[in-house]
Amino acid sequence: MSGPLLDHIAVACTVLEDVLPLYTEGLGLRLLGVEAVPTEGVRVAMLDLGGGARLELLEPTTETASIMGFLARRGPGLHHIALRVADIEAALAQAQAAGLEIIPPAPRPGAGGSRVAFVHPKTLQGVLLELVQPGAGVHGDAPPAGPAAGGTL
Ligand code: CO
């Protein structure tokens, strides 16, 4: 069995329009799309990092978004990294056996039919890590059909 692959790196920002050109025009990354995710209180811009990996820029759209707390405490910057796994139950069991705390304890639905869970940063030396089991049809190196689909930019 192969190990996990990089799925995305997420960056918290305060104003998406200010940051996006730095990555597209400044660094030449291709914008895959922008989508509002009302359930998380964020707007997400997805950029192609190649090899099926993406850079996710997260902007809060409500005062109660969980990312607001992060921005208030630490300001804009790296928020989490996400690894793609084939079997999220097996990955969580392996992580928990090694002492990592999973939040929430069971995977929850993510974009594009995926299932996701996070490793609490207090058990991973300050790193918030997301585990993603892709939904059917969005696995592999094809352009992601999840949150980027139907973007407005
Ligand atoms: Co993520």
Side-chain angles (χ1 to χ4, degrees):
M1 178 178 128
S2 64
L5 299 171
L6 179 63
D7 189 84
H8 62 271
I9 297 171
V11 170
C13 53
T14 49
V15 181
L16 199 52
E17 271 67 28
D18 291 349
V19 178
L20 201 44
L22 304 176
Y23 287 98
T24 54
E25 295 162 31
L27 293 165
L29 294 183
R30 187 166 63 94
L31 179 64
L32 296 168
V34 178
E35 186 192 27
V37 185
T39 53
E40 303 287 336
V42 294
R43 217 154 53 103
V44 184
M46 292 289 210
L47 298 136
D48 188 11
L49 289 179
R54 292 157 295 158
L55 181 70
E56 253 185 27
L57 303 178
L58 303 169
E59 172 199 61
T61 54
T62 67
E63 289 298 317
T64 54
S66 65
I67 202 166
M68 282 296 280
F70 176 90
L71 286 166
R73 282 192 311 276
R74 300 170 64 166
L78 287 175
H79 185 261
H80 66 270
I81 62 175
L83 300 179
R84 191 183 308 151
V85 297
D87 179 343
I88 197 163
E89 268 81 18
L92 295 181
Q94 182 178 344
Q96 283 171 320
L100 298 174
E101 182 185 336
I102 305 301
I103 45 173
R108 66 171 186 229
S114 65
R115 299 167 68 222
V116 305
F118 287 85
V119 174
H120 197 293
K122 80 180 180 199
T123 59
L124 192 58
Q125 295 274 304
V127 173
L128 178 61
L129 186 123
E130 179 182 4
L131 294 168
V132 183
Q133 179 183 314
V138 296
H139 194 239
D141 293 339
T152 54
L153 287 184

